[in-house]
mmCIF file with all atom_site columns, all heavy atoms in Angstrom:
data_model
loop_
_atom_site.group_PDB
_atom_site.id
_atom_site.type_symbol
_atom_site.label_atom_id
_atom_site.label_alt_id
_atom_site.label_comp_id
_atom_site.label_asym_id
_atom_site.label_entity_id
_atom_site.label_seq_id
_atom_site.pdbx_PDB_ins_code
_atom_site.Cartn_x
_atom_site.Cartn_y
_atom_site.Cartn_z
_atom_site.occupancy
_atom_site.B_iso_or_equiv
_atom_site.pdbx_formal_charge
_atom_site.auth_seq_id
_atom_site.auth_comp_id
_atom_site.auth_asym_id
_atom_site.auth_atom_id
_atom_site.pdbx_PDB_model_num
ATOM 1   N N   . ILE A 1 1  ? 155.523 167.143 74.542 1.00 86.00 ? 8  ILE A N   1
ATOM 2   C CA  . ILE A 1 1  ? 155.682 166.341 73.335 1.00 86.00 ? 8  ILE A CA  1
ATOM 3   C C   . ILE A 1 1  ? 156.707 165.259 73.621 1.00 86.00 ? 8  ILE A C   1
ATOM 4   O O   . ILE A 1 1  ? 157.864 165.545 73.967 1.00 86.00 ? 8  ILE A O   1
ATOM 5   C CB  . ILE A 1 1  ? 156.141 167.204 72.149 1.00 86.00 ? 8  ILE A CB  1
ATOM 6   C CG1 . ILE A 1 1  ? 155.199 168.400 71.956 1.00 86.00 ? 8  ILE A CG1 1
ATOM 7   C CG2 . ILE A 1 1  ? 156.218 166.368 70.893 1.00 86.00 ? 8  ILE A CG2 1
ATOM 8   C CD1 . ILE A 1 1  ? 153.781 168.037 71.634 1.00 86.00 ? 8  ILE A CD1 1
ATOM 9   N N   . THR A 1 2  ? 156.287 163.985 73.514 1.00 90.00 ? 9  THR A N   1
ATOM 10  C CA  . THR A 1 2  ? 157.171 162.878 73.853 1.00 90.00 ? 9  THR A CA  1
ATOM 11  C C   . THR A 1 2  ? 157.803 162.213 72.629 1.00 90.00 ? 9  THR A C   1
ATOM 12  O O   . THR A 1 2  ? 158.662 161.343 72.784 1.00 90.00 ? 9  THR A O   1
ATOM 13  C CB  . THR A 1 2  ? 156.403 161.807 74.645 1.00 90.00 ? 9  THR A CB  1
ATOM 14  O OG1 . THR A 1 2  ? 155.294 161.346 73.854 1.00 90.00 ? 9  THR A OG1 1
ATOM 15  C CG2 . THR A 1 2  ? 155.882 162.384 75.955 1.00 90.00 ? 9  THR A CG2 1
ATOM 16  N N   . GLU A 1 3  ? 157.364 162.595 71.416 1.00 92.00 ? 10 GLU A N   1
ATOM 17  C CA  . GLU A 1 3  ? 157.956 162.067 70.195 1.00 92.00 ? 10 GLU A CA  1
ATOM 18  C C   . GLU A 1 3  ? 158.024 163.162 69.139 1.00 92.00 ? 10 GLU A C   1
ATOM 19  O O   . GLU A 1 3  ? 157.278 164.139 69.194 1.00 92.00 ? 10 GLU A O   1
ATOM 20  C CB  . GLU A 1 3  ? 157.167 160.862 69.666 1.00 92.00 ? 10 GLU A CB  1
ATOM 21  C CG  . GLU A 1 3  ? 155.740 161.176 69.283 1.00 92.00 ? 10 GLU A CG  1
ATOM 22  C CD  . GLU A 1 3  ? 155.017 159.957 68.722 1.00 92.00 ? 10 GLU A CD  1
ATOM 23  O OE1 . GLU A 1 3  ? 155.558 158.846 68.822 1.00 92.00 ? 10 GLU A OE1 1
ATOM 24  O OE2 . GLU A 1 3  ? 153.914 160.127 68.180 1.00 92.00 ? 10 GLU A OE2 1
ATOM 25  N N   . ALA A 1 4  ? 158.928 163.004 68.206 1.00 93.00 ? 11 ALA A N   1
ATOM 26  C CA  . ALA A 1 4  ? 159.123 164.004 67.154 1.00 93.00 ? 11 ALA A CA  1
ATOM 27  C C   . ALA A 1 4  ? 159.495 163.290 65.856 1.00 93.00 ? 11 ALA A C   1
ATOM 28  O O   . ALA A 1 4  ? 159.921 162.127 65.861 1.00 93.00 ? 11 ALA A O   1
ATOM 29  C CB  . ALA A 1 4  ? 160.216 165.003 67.542 1.00 93.00 ? 11 ALA A CB  1
ATOM 30  N N   . VAL A 1 5  ? 159.337 164.013 64.760 1.00 95.00 ? 12 VAL A N   1
ATOM 31  C CA  . VAL A 1 5  ? 159.665 163.449 63.449 1.00 95.00 ? 12 VAL A CA  1
ATOM 32  C C   . VAL A 1 5  ? 161.176 163.272 63.341 1.00 95.00 ? 12 VAL A C   1
ATOM 33  O O   . VAL A 1 5  ? 161.940 164.209 63.575 1.00 95.00 ? 12 VAL A O   1
ATOM 34  C CB  . VAL A 1 5  ? 159.147 164.353 62.319 1.00 95.00 ? 12 VAL A CB  1
ATOM 35  C CG1 . VAL A 1 5  ? 159.648 163.865 60.962 1.00 95.00 ? 12 VAL A CG1 1
ATOM 36  C CG2 . VAL A 1 5  ? 157.622 164.387 62.328 1.00 95.00 ? 12 VAL A CG2 1
ATOM 37  N N   . SER A 1 6  ? 161.589 162.061 63.005 1.00 96.00 ? 13 SER A N   1
ATOM 38  C CA  . SER A 1 6  ? 163.016 161.768 62.854 1.00 96.00 ? 13 SER A CA  1
ATOM 39  C C   . SER A 1 6  ? 163.422 161.626 61.390 1.00 96.00 ? 13 SER A C   1
ATOM 40  O O   . SER A 1 6  ? 164.599 161.753 61.060 1.00 96.00 ? 13 SER A O   1
ATOM 41  C CB  . SER A 1 6  ? 163.380 160.486 63.604 1.00 96.00 ? 13 SER A CB  1
ATOM 42  O OG  . SER A 1 6  ? 162.579 159.401 63.155 1.00 96.00 ? 13 SER A OG  1
ATOM 43  N N   . LYS A 1 7  ? 162.430 161.376 60.513 1.00 98.00 ? 14 LYS A N   1
ATOM 44  C CA  . LYS A 1 7  ? 162.764 161.206 59.097 1.00 98.00 ? 14 LYS A CA  1
ATOM 45  C C   . LYS A 1 7  ? 161.524 161.418 58.234 1.00 98.00 ? 14 LYS A C   1
ATOM 46  O O   . LYS A 1 7  ? 160.413 161.074 58.622 1.00 98.00 ? 14 LYS A O   1
ATOM 47  C CB  . LYS A 1 7  ? 163.330 159.799 58.847 1.00 98.00 ? 14 LYS A CB  1
ATOM 48  C CG  . LYS A 1 7  ? 163.748 159.545 57.409 1.00 98.00 ? 14 LYS A CG  1
ATOM 49  C CD  . LYS A 1 7  ? 164.479 158.214 57.261 1.00 98.00 ? 14 LYS A CD  1
ATOM 50  C CE  . LYS A 1 7  ? 163.565 157.033 57.494 1.00 98.00 ? 14 LYS A CE  1
ATOM 51  N NZ  . LYS A 1 7  ? 164.231 155.740 57.179 1.00 98.00 ? 14 LYS A NZ  1
ATOM 52  N N   . VAL A 1 8  ? 161.744 162.025 57.068 1.00 98.00 ? 15 VAL A N   1
ATOM 53  C CA  . VAL A 1 8  ? 160.701 162.146 56.051 1.00 98.00 ? 15 VAL A CA  1
ATOM 54  C C   . VAL A 1 8  ? 161.249 161.525 54.766 1.00 98.00 ? 15 VAL A C   1
ATOM 55  O O   . VAL A 1 8  ? 162.373 161.817 54.354 1.00 98.00 ? 15 VAL A O   1
ATOM 56  C CB  . VAL A 1 8  ? 160.295 163.611 55.803 1.00 98.00 ? 15 VAL A CB  1
ATOM 57  C CG1 . VAL A 1 8  ? 159.256 163.699 54.682 1.00 98.00 ? 15 VAL A CG1 1
ATOM 58  C CG2 . VAL A 1 8  ? 159.738 164.243 57.075 1.00 98.00 ? 15 VAL A CG2 1
ATOM 59  N N   . THR A 1 9  ? 160.438 160.654 54.144 1.00 98.00 ? 16 THR A N   1
ATOM 60  C CA  . THR A 1 9  ? 160.870 159.949 52.939 1.00 98.00 ? 16 THR A CA  1
ATOM 61  C C   . THR A 1 9  ? 159.904 160.241 51.796 1.00 98.00 ? 16 THR A C   1
ATOM 62  O O   . THR A 1 9  ? 158.694 160.090 51.947 1.00 98.00 ? 16 THR A O   1
ATOM 63  C CB  . THR A 1 9  ? 160.914 158.434 53.186 1.00 98.00 ? 16 THR A CB  1
ATOM 64  O OG1 . THR A 1 9  ? 161.769 158.158 54.306 1.00 98.00 ? 16 THR A OG1 1
ATOM 65  C CG2 . THR A 1 9  ? 161.438 157.702 51.961 1.00 98.00 ? 16 THR A CG2 1
ATOM 66  N N   . TRP A 1 10 ? 160.468 160.666 50.669 1.00 98.00 ? 17 TRP A N   1
ATOM 67  C CA  . TRP A 1 10 ? 159.694 160.879 49.447 1.00 98.00 ? 17 TRP A CA  1
ATOM 68  C C   . TRP A 1 10 ? 160.076 159.778 48.450 1.00 98.00 ? 17 TRP A C   1
ATOM 69  O O   . TRP A 1 10 ? 161.262 159.585 48.143 1.00 98.00 ? 17 TRP A O   1
ATOM 70  C CB  . TRP A 1 10 ? 159.993 162.234 48.827 1.00 98.00 ? 17 TRP A CB  1
ATOM 71  C CG  . TRP A 1 10 ? 159.520 163.409 49.610 1.00 98.00 ? 17 TRP A CG  1
ATOM 72  C CD1 . TRP A 1 10 ? 158.354 164.113 49.445 1.00 98.00 ? 17 TRP A CD1 1
ATOM 73  C CD2 . TRP A 1 10 ? 160.234 164.093 50.672 1.00 98.00 ? 17 TRP A CD2 1
ATOM 74  N NE1 . TRP A 1 10 ? 158.279 165.161 50.331 1.00 98.00 ? 17 TRP A NE1 1
ATOM 75  C CE2 . TRP A 1 10 ? 159.420 165.167 51.098 1.00 98.00 ? 17 TRP A CE2 1
ATOM 76  C CE3 . TRP A 1 10 ? 161.468 163.873 51.287 1.00 98.00 ? 17 TRP A CE3 1
ATOM 77  C CZ2 . TRP A 1 10 ? 159.805 166.029 52.116 1.00 98.00 ? 17 TRP A CZ2 1
ATOM 78  C CZ3 . TRP A 1 10 ? 161.842 164.727 52.308 1.00 98.00 ? 17 TRP A CZ3 1
ATOM 79  C CH2 . TRP A 1 10 ? 161.025 165.793 52.717 1.00 98.00 ? 17 TRP A CH2 1
ATOM 80  N N   . THR A 1 11 ? 159.078 159.061 47.928 1.00 98.00 ? 18 THR A N   1
ATOM 81  C CA  . THR A 1 11 ? 159.327 158.003 46.953 1.00 98.00 ? 18 THR A CA  1
ATOM 82  C C   . THR A 1 11 ? 158.475 158.251 45.720 1.00 98.00 ? 18 THR A C   1
ATOM 83  O O   . THR A 1 11 ? 157.271 158.528 45.835 1.00 98.00 ? 18 THR A O   1
ATOM 84  C CB  . THR A 1 11 ? 158.970 156.618 47.537 1.00 98.00 ? 18 THR A CB  1
ATOM 85  O OG1 . THR A 1 11 ? 159.690 156.429 48.764 1.00 98.00 ? 18 THR A OG1 1
ATOM 86  C CG2 . THR A 1 11 ? 159.338 155.517 46.561 1.00 98.00 ? 18 THR A CG2 1
ATOM 87  N N   . ALA A 1 12 ? 159.097 158.184 44.551 1.00 98.00 ? 19 ALA A N   1
ATOM 88  C CA  . ALA A 1 12 ? 158.361 158.413 43.310 1.00 98.00 ? 19 ALA A CA  1
ATOM 89  C C   . ALA A 1 12 ? 157.241 157.389 43.181 1.00 98.00 ? 19 ALA A C   1
ATOM 90  O O   . ALA A 1 12 ? 157.448 156.186 43.373 1.00 98.00 ? 19 ALA A O   1
ATOM 91  C CB  . ALA A 1 12 ? 159.312 158.322 42.119 1.00 98.00 ? 19 ALA A CB  1
ATOM 92  N N   . ALA A 1 13 ? 156.030 157.875 42.875 1.00 96.00 ? 20 ALA A N   1
ATOM 93  C CA  . ALA A 1 13 ? 154.866 156.991 42.794 1.00 96.00 ? 20 ALA A CA  1
ATOM 94  C C   . ALA A 1 13 ? 154.969 156.013 41.631 1.00 96.00 ? 20 ALA A C   1
ATOM 95  O O   . ALA A 1 13 ? 154.517 154.870 41.717 1.00 96.00 ? 20 ALA A O   1
ATOM 96  C CB  . ALA A 1 13 ? 153.591 157.821 42.677 1.00 96.00 ? 20 ALA A CB  1
ATOM 97  N N   . THR A 1 14 ? 155.575 156.456 40.540 1.00 91.00 ? 21 THR A N   1
ATOM 98  C CA  . THR A 1 14 ? 155.773 155.589 39.379 1.00 91.00 ? 21 THR A CA  1
ATOM 99  C C   . THR A 1 14 ? 157.199 155.778 38.864 1.00 91.00 ? 21 THR A C   1
ATOM 100 O O   . THR A 1 14 ? 157.904 156.698 39.284 1.00 91.00 ? 21 THR A O   1
ATOM 101 C CB  . THR A 1 14 ? 154.780 155.926 38.249 1.00 91.00 ? 21 THR A CB  1
ATOM 102 O OG1 . THR A 1 14 ? 155.054 157.246 37.754 1.00 91.00 ? 21 THR A OG1 1
ATOM 103 C CG2 . THR A 1 14 ? 153.341 155.859 38.748 1.00 91.00 ? 21 THR A CG2 1
ATOM 104 N N   . LYS A 1 15 ? 157.601 154.951 37.927 1.00 79.00 ? 22 LYS A N   1
ATOM 105 C CA  . LYS A 1 15 ? 158.951 155.045 37.383 1.00 79.00 ? 22 LYS A CA  1
ATOM 106 C C   . LYS A 1 15 ? 159.145 156.315 36.556 1.00 79.00 ? 22 LYS A C   1
ATOM 107 O O   . LYS A 1 15 ? 160.274 156.720 36.284 1.00 79.00 ? 22 LYS A O   1
ATOM 108 C CB  . LYS A 1 15 ? 159.269 153.826 36.526 1.00 79.00 ? 22 LYS A CB  1
ATOM 109 C CG  . LYS A 1 15 ? 158.380 153.676 35.299 1.00 79.00 ? 22 LYS A CG  1
ATOM 110 C CD  . LYS A 1 15 ? 158.768 152.463 34.483 1.00 79.00 ? 22 LYS A CD  1
ATOM 111 C CE  . LYS A 1 15 ? 157.901 152.327 33.236 1.00 79.00 ? 22 LYS A CE  1
ATOM 112 N NZ  . LYS A 1 15 ? 158.307 151.146 32.421 1.00 79.00 ? 22 LYS A NZ  1
ATOM 113 N N   . ASP A 1 16 ? 158.034 156.928 36.150 1.00 82.00 ? 23 ASP A N   1
ATOM 114 C CA  . ASP A 1 16 ? 158.124 158.150 35.344 1.00 82.00 ? 23 ASP A CA  1
ATOM 115 C C   . ASP A 1 16 ? 157.918 159.422 36.157 1.00 82.00 ? 23 ASP A C   1
ATOM 116 O O   . ASP A 1 16 ? 157.929 160.522 35.603 1.00 82.00 ? 23 ASP A O   1
ATOM 117 C CB  . ASP A 1 16 ? 157.076 158.104 34.216 1.00 82.00 ? 23 ASP A CB  1
ATOM 118 C CG  . ASP A 1 16 ? 157.294 156.938 33.270 1.00 82.00 ? 23 ASP A CG  1
ATOM 119 O OD1 . ASP A 1 16 ? 158.469 156.605 33.008 1.00 82.00 ? 23 ASP A OD1 1
ATOM 120 O OD2 . ASP A 1 16 ? 156.295 156.355 32.803 1.00 82.00 ? 23 ASP A OD2 1
ATOM 121 N N   . SER A 1 17 ? 157.697 159.307 37.473 1.00 87.00 ? 24 SER A N   1
ATOM 122 C CA  . SER A 1 17 ? 157.391 160.494 38.274 1.00 87.00 ? 24 SER A CA  1
ATOM 123 C C   . SER A 1 17 ? 158.561 160.968 39.136 1.00 87.00 ? 24 SER A C   1
ATOM 124 O O   . SER A 1 17 ? 158.387 161.798 40.018 1.00 87.00 ? 24 SER A O   1
ATOM 125 C CB  . SER A 1 17 ? 156.192 160.215 39.188 1.00 87.00 ? 24 SER A CB  1
ATOM 126 O OG  . SER A 1 17 ? 156.456 159.126 40.052 1.00 87.00 ? 24 SER A OG  1
ATOM 127 N N   . GLY A 1 18 ? 159.769 160.451 38.893 1.00 96.00 ? 25 GLY A N   1
ATOM 128 C CA  . GLY A 1 18 ? 160.937 160.908 39.632 1.00 96.00 ? 25 GLY A CA  1
ATOM 129 C C   . GLY A 1 18 ? 161.509 162.179 39.023 1.00 96.00 ? 25 GLY A C   1
ATOM 130 O O   . GLY A 1 18 ? 160.860 162.884 38.245 1.00 96.00 ? 25 GLY A O   1
ATOM 131 N N   . ILE A 1 19 ? 162.752 162.496 39.391 1.00 97.00 ? 26 ILE A N   1
ATOM 132 C CA  . ILE A 1 19 ? 163.433 163.676 38.856 1.00 97.00 ? 26 ILE A CA  1
ATOM 133 C C   . ILE A 1 19 ? 164.293 163.233 37.677 1.00 97.00 ? 26 ILE A C   1
ATOM 134 O O   . ILE A 1 19 ? 165.263 162.490 37.863 1.00 97.00 ? 26 ILE A O   1
ATOM 135 C CB  . ILE A 1 19 ? 164.311 164.339 39.928 1.00 97.00 ? 26 ILE A CB  1
ATOM 136 C CG1 . ILE A 1 19 ? 163.505 164.633 41.196 1.00 97.00 ? 26 ILE A CG1 1
ATOM 137 C CG2 . ILE A 1 19 ? 164.923 165.632 39.389 1.00 97.00 ? 26 ILE A CG2 1
ATOM 138 C CD1 . ILE A 1 19 ? 164.343 165.146 42.339 1.00 97.00 ? 26 ILE A CD1 1
ATOM 139 N N   . PRO A 1 20 ? 163.971 163.657 36.466 1.00 96.00 ? 27 PRO A N   1
ATOM 140 C CA  . PRO A 1 20 ? 164.740 163.202 35.297 1.00 96.00 ? 27 PRO A CA  1
ATOM 141 C C   . PRO A 1 20 ? 166.107 163.866 35.200 1.00 96.00 ? 27 PRO A C   1
ATOM 142 O O   . PRO A 1 20 ? 166.398 164.841 35.917 1.00 96.00 ? 27 PRO A O   1
ATOM 143 C CB  . PRO A 1 20 ? 163.845 163.594 34.123 1.00 96.00 ? 27 PRO A CB  1
ATOM 144 C CG  . PRO A 1 20 ? 163.040 164.749 34.627 1.00 96.00 ? 27 PRO A CG  1
ATOM 145 C CD  . PRO A 1 20 ? 162.838 164.507 36.090 1.00 96.00 ? 27 PRO A CD  1
ATOM 146 N N   . THR A 1 21 ? 166.913 163.371 34.304 1.00 95.00 ? 28 THR A N   1
ATOM 147 C CA  . THR A 1 21 ? 168.250 163.910 34.076 1.00 95.00 ? 28 THR A CA  1
ATOM 148 C C   . THR A 1 21 ? 168.190 165.384 33.671 1.00 95.00 ? 28 THR A C   1
ATOM 149 O O   . THR A 1 21 ? 167.377 165.771 32.824 1.00 95.00 ? 28 THR A O   1
ATOM 150 C CB  . THR A 1 21 ? 168.960 163.113 32.970 1.00 95.00 ? 28 THR A CB  1
ATOM 151 O OG1 . THR A 1 21 ? 169.082 161.754 33.396 1.00 95.00 ? 28 THR A OG1 1
ATOM 152 C CG2 . THR A 1 21 ? 170.336 163.679 32.683 1.00 95.00 ? 28 THR A CG2 1
ATOM 153 N N   . GLY A 1 22 ? 169.047 166.191 34.276 1.00 94.00 ? 29 GLY A N   1
ATOM 154 C CA  . GLY A 1 22 ? 169.115 167.609 33.933 1.00 94.00 ? 29 GLY A CA  1
ATOM 155 C C   . GLY A 1 22 ? 168.087 168.478 34.623 1.00 94.00 ? 29 GLY A C   1
ATOM 156 O O   . GLY A 1 22 ? 167.959 169.666 34.296 1.00 94.00 ? 29 GLY A O   1
ATOM 157 N N   . TYR A 1 23 ? 167.354 167.937 35.598 1.00 96.00 ? 30 TYR A N   1
ATOM 158 C CA  . TYR A 1 23 ? 166.330 168.701 36.308 1.00 96.00 ? 30 TYR A CA  1
ATOM 159 C C   . TYR A 1 23 ? 166.569 168.624 37.812 1.00 96.00 ? 30 TYR A C   1
ATOM 160 O O   . TYR A 1 23 ? 167.338 167.801 38.309 1.00 96.00 ? 30 TYR A O   1
ATOM 161 C CB  . TYR A 1 23 ? 164.926 168.167 35.987 1.00 96.00 ? 30 TYR A CB  1
ATOM 162 C CG  . TYR A 1 23 ? 164.463 168.469 34.580 1.00 96.00 ? 30 TYR A CG  1
ATOM 163 C CD1 . TYR A 1 23 ? 164.842 167.645 33.521 1.00 96.00 ? 30 TYR A CD1 1
ATOM 164 C CD2 . TYR A 1 23 ? 163.662 169.571 34.310 1.00 96.00 ? 30 TYR A CD2 1
ATOM 165 C CE1 . TYR A 1 23 ? 164.432 167.921 32.220 1.00 96.00 ? 30 TYR A CE1 1
ATOM 166 C CE2 . TYR A 1 23 ? 163.231 169.842 33.018 1.00 96.00 ? 30 TYR A CE2 1
ATOM 167 C CZ  . TYR A 1 23 ? 163.621 169.019 31.979 1.00 96.00 ? 30 TYR A CZ  1
ATOM 168 O OH  . TYR A 1 23 ? 163.210 169.286 30.699 1.00 96.00 ? 30 TYR A OH  1
ATOM 169 N N   . PHE A 1 24 ? 165.873 169.510 38.545 1.00 97.00 ? 31 PHE A N   1
ATOM 170 C CA  . PHE A 1 24 ? 165.893 169.443 39.996 1.00 97.00 ? 31 PHE A CA  1
ATOM 171 C C   . PHE A 1 24 ? 164.462 169.595 40.499 1.00 97.00 ? 31 PHE A C   1
ATOM 172 O O   . PHE A 1 24 ? 163.568 170.013 39.764 1.00 97.00 ? 31 PHE A O   1
ATOM 173 C CB  . PHE A 1 24 ? 166.797 170.533 40.605 1.00 97.00 ? 31 PHE A CB  1
ATOM 174 C CG  . PHE A 1 24 ? 166.206 171.916 40.558 1.00 97.00 ? 31 PHE A CG  1
ATOM 175 C CD1 . PHE A 1 24 ? 165.402 172.386 41.595 1.00 97.00 ? 31 PHE A CD1 1
ATOM 176 C CD2 . PHE A 1 24 ? 166.440 172.752 39.475 1.00 97.00 ? 31 PHE A CD2 1
ATOM 177 C CE1 . PHE A 1 24 ? 164.858 173.664 41.547 1.00 97.00 ? 31 PHE A CE1 1
ATOM 178 C CE2 . PHE A 1 24 ? 165.900 174.022 39.425 1.00 97.00 ? 31 PHE A CE2 1
ATOM 179 C CZ  . PHE A 1 24 ? 165.107 174.483 40.464 1.00 97.00 ? 31 PHE A CZ  1
ATOM 180 N N   . GLU A 1 25 ? 164.269 169.284 41.763 1.00 97.00 ? 32 GLU A N   1
ATOM 181 C CA  . GLU A 1 25 ? 162.950 169.443 42.361 1.00 97.00 ? 32 GLU A CA  1
ATOM 182 C C   . GLU A 1 25 ? 163.113 169.900 43.802 1.00 97.00 ? 32 GLU A C   1
ATOM 183 O O   . GLU A 1 25 ? 164.090 169.568 44.466 1.00 97.00 ? 32 GLU A O   1
ATOM 184 C CB  . GLU A 1 25 ? 162.151 168.141 42.295 1.00 97.00 ? 32 GLU A CB  1
ATOM 185 C CG  . GLU A 1 25 ? 160.687 168.312 42.640 1.00 97.00 ? 32 GLU A CG  1
ATOM 186 C CD  . GLU A 1 25 ? 159.802 167.306 41.917 1.00 97.00 ? 32 GLU A CD  1
ATOM 187 O OE1 . GLU A 1 25 ? 160.333 166.451 41.180 1.00 97.00 ? 32 GLU A OE1 1
ATOM 188 O OE2 . GLU A 1 25 ? 158.575 167.383 42.087 1.00 97.00 ? 32 GLU A OE2 1
ATOM 189 N N   . LYS A 1 26 ? 162.115 170.682 44.273 1.00 98.00 ? 33 LYS A N   1
ATOM 190 C CA  . LYS A 1 26 ? 162.123 171.150 45.656 1.00 98.00 ? 33 LYS A CA  1
ATOM 191 C C   . LYS A 1 26 ? 161.077 170.390 46.465 1.00 98.00 ? 33 LYS A C   1
ATOM 192 O O   . LYS A 1 26 ? 159.955 170.192 46.004 1.00 98.00 ? 33 LYS A O   1
ATOM 193 C CB  . LYS A 1 26 ? 161.840 172.655 45.720 1.00 98.00 ? 33 LYS A CB  1
ATOM 194 C CG  . LYS A 1 26 ? 162.940 173.525 45.144 1.00 98.00 ? 33 LYS A CG  1
ATOM 195 C CD  . LYS A 1 26 ? 162.582 175.001 45.271 1.00 98.00 ? 33 LYS A CD  1
ATOM 196 C CE  . LYS A 1 26 ? 163.688 175.883 44.717 1.00 98.00 ? 33 LYS A CE  1
ATOM 197 N NZ  . LYS A 1 26 ? 163.352 177.329 44.839 1.00 98.00 ? 33 LYS A NZ  1
ATOM 198 N N   . PHE A 1 27 ? 161.469 169.989 47.667 1.00 98.00 ? 34 PHE A N   1
ATOM 199 C CA  . PHE A 1 27 ? 160.586 169.253 48.562 1.00 98.00 ? 34 PHE A CA  1
ATOM 200 C C   . PHE A 1 27 ? 160.303 170.132 49.788 1.00 98.00 ? 34 PHE A C   1
ATOM 201 O O   . PHE A 1 27 ? 161.137 170.217 50.695 1.00 98.00 ? 34 PHE A O   1
ATOM 202 C CB  . PHE A 1 27 ? 161.238 167.934 48.970 1.00 98.00 ? 34 PHE A CB  1
ATOM 203 C CG  . PHE A 1 27 ? 161.484 166.995 47.815 1.00 98.00 ? 34 PHE A CG  1
ATOM 204 C CD1 . PHE A 1 27 ? 162.581 167.166 46.969 1.00 98.00 ? 34 PHE A CD1 1
ATOM 205 C CD2 . PHE A 1 27 ? 160.619 165.943 47.565 1.00 98.00 ? 34 PHE A CD2 1
ATOM 206 C CE1 . PHE A 1 27 ? 162.810 166.307 45.900 1.00 98.00 ? 34 PHE A CE1 1
ATOM 207 C CE2 . PHE A 1 27 ? 160.835 165.073 46.489 1.00 98.00 ? 34 PHE A CE2 1
ATOM 208 C CZ  . PHE A 1 27 ? 161.925 165.260 45.659 1.00 98.00 ? 34 PHE A CZ  1
#
């Protein structure tokens, strides 16, 4: 294996699909 994952990025698809105040999420 000559390459490996160096970063994973999660971006909310819409402005309403993120993590709201007072909540958490698992990735």
